[in-house]
Amino acid sequence: EDQVTQSPEALRLQEGESSSLNCSYTVSGLRGLFWYRQDPGKGPEFLFTLYSAGEEKEKERLKATLTKKESFLHITAPKPEDSATYLCAFRFSGGYNKLIFGAGTRLAVHP
Amino acid sequence: SAVISQKPSRDICQRGTSLTIQCQVDSQVTMMFWYRQQPGQSLTLIATANQGSEATYESGFVIDKFPISRPNLTFSTLTVSNMSPEDSSIYLCSVEIGGVTDTQYFGPGTRLTVL
């Protein structure tokens, strides 16, 4: 069964303390791996799309990477405003446009 | 990207009633979707809203419970029918603009509480 697992469920960091979030997946025929940020009471905000192993994308303090079995969201020198839930999702061959979401990682960055 | 709005932003309803949620996009889009996010959980796709034809529902979701309309390329509605407390969730619409990108962009969500 195609599924995606995110770890850790929750992460607490001090401001400036870099870390990584993990998204592992078991899917045949990956057609895209997506990262979103969700603030409380809001809809997910798109961050990155990755399509093939070895691909990397960067945006400010965030960098997403992809291997054949997992994706990482690296957060460098985080600030309190980076506090949010980070969701990964994938699209697979045969799933048309359907996105399957992980449960998310709740990140709290403290000053 | 696209600017997506949803109405209402939140509502409190009595069991047995129905609520219709609207999703409006500021530009024409190829694909529109409806998701549910139950308390403390991630997003689950309810259905794909097809313009000019019946929506495509995911396993576990049926048209009688979640009728969907999509009269044009910028607007869709989701109705939650005969509600029970288990329907208390955030309901989100998303759009895929098409062309060179297959990214889905999400609306702000509708927070529904059923008493």
Side-chain angles (χ1 to χ4, degrees):
Chain A
E1 180 183 344
D2 299 320
Q3 62 179 12
V4 56
T5 303
Q6 291 190 247
S7 61
E9 289 185 13
L11 181 62
R12 177 189 171 115
L13 299 174
Q14 290 298 120
E15 184 172 2
E17 179 186 2
S18 301
S19 188
S20 298
L21 312 182
N22 178 263
C23 171
S24 63
Y25 59 91
T26 55
V27 61
S28 53
L30 182 73
R31 281 182 48 212
L33 190 291
F34 302 81
W35 282 98
Y36 290 86
R37 167 190 171 131
Q38 186 173 27
D39 292 295
K42 296 188 177 182
E45 174 191 347
F46 170 71
L47 294 174
F48 304 109
T49 307
L50 302 167
Y51 291 103
S52 56
E55 189 173 359
E56 297 183 354
K57 295 271 181 75
E58 282 189 72
K59 178 181 179 181
E60 297 181 353
R61 295 177 293 281
L62 300 177
K63 180 172 142 181
T65 63
L66 181 65
T67 71
K68 288 187 177 181
K69 291 296 181 185
E70 57 191 349
S71 178
F72 292 94
L73 184 65
H74 306 279
I75 304 177
T76 302
K79 298 181 178 181
E81 52 262 42
D82 294 322
S83 298
T85 296
Y86 291 86
L87 301 168
C88 74
F90 68 83
R91 174 177 290 153
F92 59 99
S93 300
Y96 55 97
N97 298 82
K98 177 179 179 178
L99 286 181
I100 297 179
F101 279 84
T105 293
R106 295 189 309 278
L107 174 66
V109 182
H110 297 269
Chain B
S1 62
V3 177
I4 306 165
S5 60
Q6 286 185 232
K7 289 182 182 179
S9 59
R10 59 179 60 227
D11 207 341
I12 300 173
C13 301
Q14 297 297 320
R15 70 168 66 216
T17 63
S18 298
L19 176 72
T20 295
I21 302 168
Q22 299 179 3
C23 178
Q24 178 76 53
V25 193
D26 69 340
S27 59
Q28 293 186 346
V29 296
T30 54
M31 307 287 290
M32 295 183 78
F33 306 88
W34 286 98
Y35 287 81
R36 181 174 74 182
Q37 187 172 29
Q38 293 180 300
Q41 299 188 27
S42 196
L43 284 76
T44 300
L45 180 65
I46 298 172
T48 302
N50 300 311
Q51 195 257 333
S53 64
E54 193 171 285
T56 304
Y57 289 85
E58 295 299 305
S59 176
F61 298 96
V62 295
I63 187 171
D64 290 345
K65 177 67 176 177
F66 297 102
I68 288 170
S69 77
R70 189 178 173 192
N72 56 51
L73 294 177
T74 64
F75 185 79
S76 177
T77 66
L78 168 74
T79 299
V80 186
S81 303
N82 188 24
M83 289 184 285
S84 66
E86 293 71 36
D87 294 319
S88 297
S89 289
I90 299 173
Y91 292 87
L92 297 133
C93 72
S94 73
V95 304
E96 196 170 297
I97 299 172
V100 298
T101 175
D102 57 1
T103 299
Q104 287 187 23
Y105 298 92
F106 285 82
T110 295
R111 182 179 295 272
L112 170 62
T113 302
V114 184
L115 302 178

